[in-house]
Amino acid sequence: MIASDLETAVTRLRELIDAAKVVVPFTGAGISTECGIPDFRSPGGIWTKNRPIPFDEFLSSQEARNEAWRRRFAMEEHFAAARPGRGHLALASLYKAGKSPGVVTQNIDNLHQGSGIAPAHVIELHGNNTYAVCLACAKRYELSWVKEQFAPRGQAPDCPDCGGHIKSATVSFGQSMPEHAMRRAEEMTLSSDLFVTVGSSLVVWPAAGFPLMAKRNGANLVIINREATEFDGIADLVVRGDIGTVLSPLIVH
Ligand code: NAD
């Protein structure tokens, strides 16, 4: 059902949440646009400016690694200044009320953690770009350290311990999905009787499989996004509106 107006949609959403035992939110870049972080596919989004660097290119080319870090530091102001928005705060309210066990997210911006959801309960399918890791030995590096190494010559550093390439702790196209996060996302999805996707175009796989998994498992499915998605037809409620506006009535102060 596509709600005809926003007020009806929010009322229906509230009814579904009240009736549910376990609400699992599934978020995408759209929840963070009001926080100043552009999404991928909207006009002005990241893809309209830069072609993504596939994982094999990152591995094989020093220039690709330099470019990846150049882009990351160019975005630093956006990421460092971003604070959780109304959508994040509303989902944190559900979590704090014991209505939701956490969140499954495609986002890499750390804003769910910033909104008060315990890091252990934020399932990051595509990693986190607020720190870096060595691809060979998995040692963690802080961005401040990477920046110090990168700044003088614009050269992406390798791991001083093992010589492996250092990459932001995100999952690039062509890189394998994090097994532990995938398993936990599946468990959380299957535990839900209400699955709410928020701000995702639902075109990136395998992440987009989770709403489908929830629906097939008998959960009600809600899709909140300002554009249509391919899954609207199977959703129990589709809310086409601005995420902050739709979710802010759920914020408990
Ligand atoms: P996407 O860019 O493909 O889709 C975002 C969707 O959100 C779009 O359909 C857009 O119409 C909608 N949207 C944007 N702002 C909205 C708003 N205020 N209200 C309602 N809808 C809004 O994003 P995706 O589905 O998450 O997939 C892209 C991939 O990009 C993800 O895997 C993620 O890892 C990565 N990414 C993450 C961030 C982040 O962490 N904030 C930002 C950009 C990209």
Side-chain angles (χ1 to χ4, degrees):
M1 161 202 174
I2 300 182
S4 52
D5 65 274
L6 215 55
E7 209 181 310
T8 317
V10 173
T11 307
R12 183 70 192 123
L13 177 61
R14 167 83 73 179
E15 286 167 0
L16 285 168
I17 290 172
D18 287 346
K21 285 198 176 67
V22 181
V23 181
V24 171
F26 171 86
T27 61
I31 197 171
S32 299
T33 52
E34 76 168 19
C35 313
I37 301 176
D39 63 10
F40 267 177
R41 293 176 181 79
S42 289
I46 294 166
W47 272 10
T48 59
K49 303 200 176 91
N50 283 318
R51 177 187 68 87
I53 299 170
F55 188 54
D56 58 352
E57 214 174 301
F58 184 94
L59 289 181
S60 63
S61 152
Q62 176 71 42
E63 181 42 41
R65 292 193 290 281
N66 297 347
E67 174 62 14
W69 281 112
R70 215 167 14 246
R71 288 183 192 178
R72 175 62 188 84
F73 292 128
M75 290 290 292
E76 180 58 10
E77 261 178 54
H78 287 286
F79 278 106
R83 297 288 170 269
R86 292 169 297 169
H88 298 97
L89 297 177
L91 300 184
S93 289
L94 288 178
Y95 169 76
K96 287 174 192 159
K99 203 70 198 181
S100 133
V103 59
V104 179
T105 188
Q106 300 172 86
N107 293 347
I108 54 177
D109 55 25
N110 217 42
L111 290 177
H112 287 299
Q113 292 90 331
S115 73
I117 300 183
H121 299 153
V122 180
I123 316 299
E124 294 174 318
L125 297 175
H126 296 157
N128 186 308
N129 82 348
T130 63
Y131 61 97
V133 284
C134 168
L135 291 173
C137 72
K139 181 170 174 182
R140 174 178 167 137
Y141 287 91
E142 301 311 318
L143 293 190
S144 52
W145 180 86
V146 179
K147 200 170 183 179
E148 261 171 45
Q149 311 302 309
F150 175 81
R153 292 180 302 123
Q155 286 284 306
D158 288 332
C159 177
D161 282 5
C162 77
H165 300 317
I166 294 173
K167 180 176 175 294
S168 72
T170 52
V171 178
S172 298
F173 285 101
Q175 189 171 1
S176 53
M177 294 294 285
E179 273 175 40
H180 183 63
M182 286 297 281
R183 206 168 44 247
R184 292 196 58 217
E186 181 170 339
E187 283 163 12
M188 214 185 254
T189 300
L190 294 176
S191 77
S192 71
D193 58 351
L194 179 61
F195 194 87
V196 185
T197 98
V198 184
S200 176
S201 57
L202 299 177
V203 299
V204 179
W205 289 81
F210 289 104
L212 211 55
M213 183 188 288
K215 183 68 192 160
R216 288 190 178 138
N217 192 47
N220 282 319
L221 176 63
V222 174
I223 295 179
I224 305 172
N225 206 52
R226 65 183 171 204
E227 289 174 331
T229 77
E230 272 187 36
F231 292 175
D232 289 358
I234 62 159
D236 299 275
L237 175 66
V238 175
V239 187
R240 295 245 175 93
D242 173 61
I243 291 159
T245 311
V246 171
L247 289 181
S248 48
L250 299 177
I251 300 173
V252 176
H253 296 283

